[in-house]
Amino acid sequence: MAFIESSSGKQPSLFSAIAIGVGCIVGSGWLFASYKASKFAGPVAIGSWVIGALLALMIALLLAEIATFYSKETGLFARLLTITHNGDFGFINASSNWFATIITIPAEAEASIQYLAQAFPKISHSVFNNDHFTHLGIAVVCLLMVFYGFLNYWGIKLLAKANNTITVFKLTVPALTAIIFMAASFHPENFSSYHGTIAPYGYDKMFTAVVTCGIFYSFYGFSMITVFSKELKNPQRNIPLALAGSVLICLVIYLMLQISFIGAIEPSEIIGGWHTLDFTSPLAQLAIILGINWIAVVLYVDAAISPSGTGIIYVGSSARMFTGMAEDGQMPKVFAKEHAVHKISRLSIAATLIFCMILVIFFDNWDKIMIVVSVFQLISCLAVPIAFCKLRKIDLDKPRPFKMPAGLTLSYIAYLVVSYLLVQAGFMPLILSLVFHLVFFLIYCSVYYRSKKLILRAFASAWSMFVYMALMSVFGYLQDQGSMNNFGTLGVFLVVATINYYFLLNQKGYNPQIHYTATDANVK
């Protein structure tokens, strides 16, 4: 990949670093999220993109300080709490981060097949029917993921030559689509015609849409830049610029798409409300309705390129995270062995693909998988403000290549926003994530430790995160009941979240493990 190795063997530049973020951000989200957000929240969905981008930017800037401090770590984003706190506590973040990355791979593959199925009406029902993939559809999705794996397994040099070109294509097509939609059909009345307001379903939907309509899911790819931090040229300069730059570039693209989609809909289509819209391949179908058939063709082609380009990157990212966890002793050491030539663990790639294929069976459409992914993404992002505050307390005499102004205050705000958005997902996704983390933690303990005493110490070293997820599940239930709109409930939420924040920051480790500090060779 261009961000791993250029054709000349030199380290990737700032452009390639931004290409990582943009390449991961512009995936399946742009094909579906504008439609999903409009249908769910109405025109106020425009604000949802701003909220999602602001959160991503906050996390990105905090992460930039950490990433430049530990610029030589492999799979850094998945290992934040292992580095700053302890291995048991860090495993929860690592597993959530890895799972968020790994589940994105089938999500991107499903998006490609789901979108392309509509281009071939004669076979579409045999692949995707009644909003679910058929057995044949699942098989096709799995074959596409195997293709992702082989490009990482064998084709790193080939992909290196194409990656920057693919990124330019992924930026050009969404921007061109938005401009053409605005030129072909734009109805300003759509922004307030239904119920005479920009927020016909309430302003609270603006926050919920960030999680349930694929908006934060769309922005999450910025974090992948840090996975390759030690392979980037001049990371102290390029990591902060690439993190912030990729988010801001994609925000402009997504806002253009959202505004153009809302404006292009015929007013007669939303007389009954935005929730009555019914598209399977939203942008392509809208282009056909507007009589711009060639754009529909381009969109169907991009449905194969954009999500698949993201899926390919995520296979490489998840394999590196898995390898990093193995290096930390959180997975069997066999996964830490890298190929002498290709510099990647092929066994990690194989394990990644096997997990992905299992996930496709349980999450057989893009909507289902996207909400679950968003929850794990938010939980993994929770590690950034926690690790940031811890890092500020250690090795104060060490220079920081990049220091975020008002970083501690920003960390607290980012933590509260992440927590509030988590609650918007509702009870079921949150309780599922809690169960997953508990089961995976038990597996980790059984592999890493041999005595009951050490296993109990492991839970004592990570209890605050499990309590946090349980509390968020309770508030998720209240969200489902409509109680989170109450100022009293919001007040209780802020108090509970703040108390838990203190315990997360000060979580102690009770098992003897290797602890990383800024005095290690990781820091220049």
Side-chain angles (χ1 to χ4, degrees):
M1 279 176 266
F3 43 86
I4 298 175
E5 169 182 52
S6 68
S7 57
S8 62
K10 296 180 181 179
Q11 286 181 294
S13 63
L14 174 61
F15 179 82
S16 291
I18 292 175
I20 299 172
V22 173
C24 288
I25 291 172
V26 183
S28 62
W30 87 270
L31 295 169
F32 291 102
S34 295
Y35 160 68
K36 299 288 183 186
S38 299
K39 184 173 181 175
F40 179 79
V44 79
I46 297 168
S48 301
W49 289 101
V50 176
I51 292 169
L54 286 175
L55 175 60
L57 194 58
M58 278 195 293
I59 297 293
L61 291 173
L62 295 172
L63 186 57
E65 180 173 324
I66 302 172
T68 54
F69 207 50
Y70 292 108
S71 60
K72 293 187 178 181
E73 285 287 354
T74 300
L76 175 65
F77 193 49
R79 302 167 71 187
L80 288 175
L81 297 184
T82 298
I83 293 170
T84 60
H85 284 66
N86 67 80
D88 298 324
F89 189 49
F91 175 78
I92 302 174
N93 166 242
S95 60
S96 189
N97 199 302
W98 176 70
F99 194 75
T101 303
I102 207 171
I103 200 174
T104 302
I105 299 164
E108 298 301 297
E110 286 186 355
S112 284
I113 302 303
Q114 185 174 327
Y115 218 88
L116 287 171
Q118 304 308 309
F120 304 97
K122 292 183 179 179
I123 64 170
S124 63
H125 290 296
S126 62
V127 176
F128 189 76
N129 195 19
N130 294 324
D131 292 329
H132 297 282
F133 281 100
T134 63
H135 294 306
L136 176 62
I138 290 174
V140 174
V141 170
C142 289
L143 283 174
L144 184 57
M145 290 191 296
V146 170
F147 172 69
Y148 297 168
F150 272 111
L151 281 179
N152 279 276
Y153 198 83
W154 298 108
I156 290 177
K157 290 185 178 179
L158 175 64
L159 195 58
K161 297 175 182 179
N163 185 64
N164 289 348
T165 303
I166 291 172
T167 301
V168 171
F169 181 82
K170 291 172 72 170
L171 279 174
T172 303
V173 173
L176 182 65
T177 300
I179 292 169
I180 291 174
F181 277 179
M182 288 181 187
S185 176
F186 194 78
H187 304 281
E189 63 271 26
N190 285 356
F191 292 85
S192 61
S193 60
Y194 184 64
H195 283 201
T197 174
I198 195 174
Y201 307 106
Y203 284 96
D204 59 307
K205 299 297 183 187
M206 181 170 60
F207 295 94
T208 308
V210 175
V211 180
T212 61
C213 296
I215 291 173
F216 186 74
Y217 171 88
S218 297
F219 280 115
Y220 181 77
F222 73 87
S223 63
M224 294 301 104
I225 294 169
T226 63
V227 175
F228 303 96
S229 59
K230 76 173 185 179
E231 297 162 278
L232 294 174
K233 180 181 179 181
N234 193 6
Q236 284 74 21
R237 168 184 172 271
N238 289 344
I239 288 175
L241 290 175
L243 284 167
S246 60
V247 171
L248 293 174
I249 289 169
C250 292
L251 172 61
V252 173
I253 299 295
Y254 283 130
L255 283 177
M256 289 172 63
L257 279 168
Q258 185 66 70
I259 292 169
S260 66
F261 182 85
I262 292 171
I265 297 292
E266 283 297 322
S268 59
E269 294 290 323
I270 56 170
I271 290 177
W274 286 94
H275 61 280
T276 61
L277 290 176
D278 186 18
F279 293 124
T280 307
S281 303
L283 299 175
Q285 288 175 286
L286 181 57
I288 292 171
I289 291 171
L290 297 176
I292 321 170
N293 293 339
W294 69 272
I295 277 289
V297 173
V298 172
L299 287 167
Y300 282 126
V301 171
D302 190 71
I305 294 176
S306 286
S308 292
T310 302
I312 292 163
I313 295 173
Y314 269 78
V315 169
S317 300
S318 60
R320 282 167 174 76
M321 288 180 183
F322 206 61
T323 300
M325 291 167 72
E327 289 175 357
D328 289 336
Q330 296 169 337
M331 286 291 167
K333 287 291 185 182
V334 66
F335 291 103
K337 186 177 181 181
E338 296 182 347
H339 190 275
V341 176
H342 298 290
K343 303 300 180 183
I344 190 169
S345 169
R346 289 181 163 182
L347 195 57
S348 292
I349 293 175
T352 295
L353 293 176
I354 290 169
F355 273 103
C356 288
M357 291 176 186
I358 294 171
L359 289 168
V360 171
I361 297 172
F362 292 99
F363 303 101
D364 57 357
N365 68 37
W366 187 82
D367 289 33
K368 281 185 181 179
I369 204 167
M370 176 273 302
I371 295 175
V372 175
V373 174
S374 297
V375 168
F376 280 92
Q377 288 173 340
L378 286 165
I379 292 174
S380 68
C381 284
L382 196 72
V384 176
I386 297 169
F388 182 93
C389 292
K390 185 76 171 182
L391 181 60
R392 280 287 180 94
K393 295 179 181 179
I394 61 176
D395 289 319
L396 298 177
D397 58 324
K398 296 291 180 181
R400 282 163 168 73
F402 171 76
K403 189 170 184 179
M404 184 62 202
L408 295 177
T409 301
L410 196 64
S411 293
Y412 176 62
I413 294 171
Y415 164 80
L416 290 178
V417 174
V418 168
S419 300
Y420 182 73
L421 291 179
L422 265 175
V423 169
Q424 300 303 303
F427 176 74
M428 191 55 66
L430 289 170
I431 201 68
L432 282 174
S433 69
L434 174 59
V435 171
F436 165 83
H437 282 97
L438 282 169
V439 170
F440 221 52
F441 195 78
L442 283 171
I443 295 171
Y444 153 70
C445 288
S446 65
V447 171
Y448 194 70
Y449 298 113
R450 293 286 181 253
S451 71
K452 183 178 179 181
K453 181 179 180 181
L454 291 176
I455 290 174
L456 291 175
R457 282 182 176 179
F459 274 95
S461 301
W463 68 269
S464 59
M465 187 64 81
F466 289 118
V467 169
Y468 171 82
M469 286 189 282
L471 289 171
M472 292 305 104
S473 298
V474 172
F475 285 109
Y477 175 79
L478 294 175
Q479 166 68 20
D480 289 342
Q481 304 304 310
S483 300
M484 285 301 291
N485 293 331
N486 183 289
F487 283 108
T489 307
L490 280 174
V492 173
F493 165 77
L494 289 173
V495 171
V496 170
T498 300
I499 293 172
N500 213 142
Y501 185 55
Y502 170 82
F503 288 112
L504 289 167
L505 290 178
N506 296 282
Q507 175 68 64
K508 294 181 179 179
Y510 295 94
N511 276 323
Q513 296 171 319
I514 296 174
H515 291 266
Y516 294 82
T517 69
T519 57
D520 290 335
N522 299 316
V523 183
K524 290 184 178 181

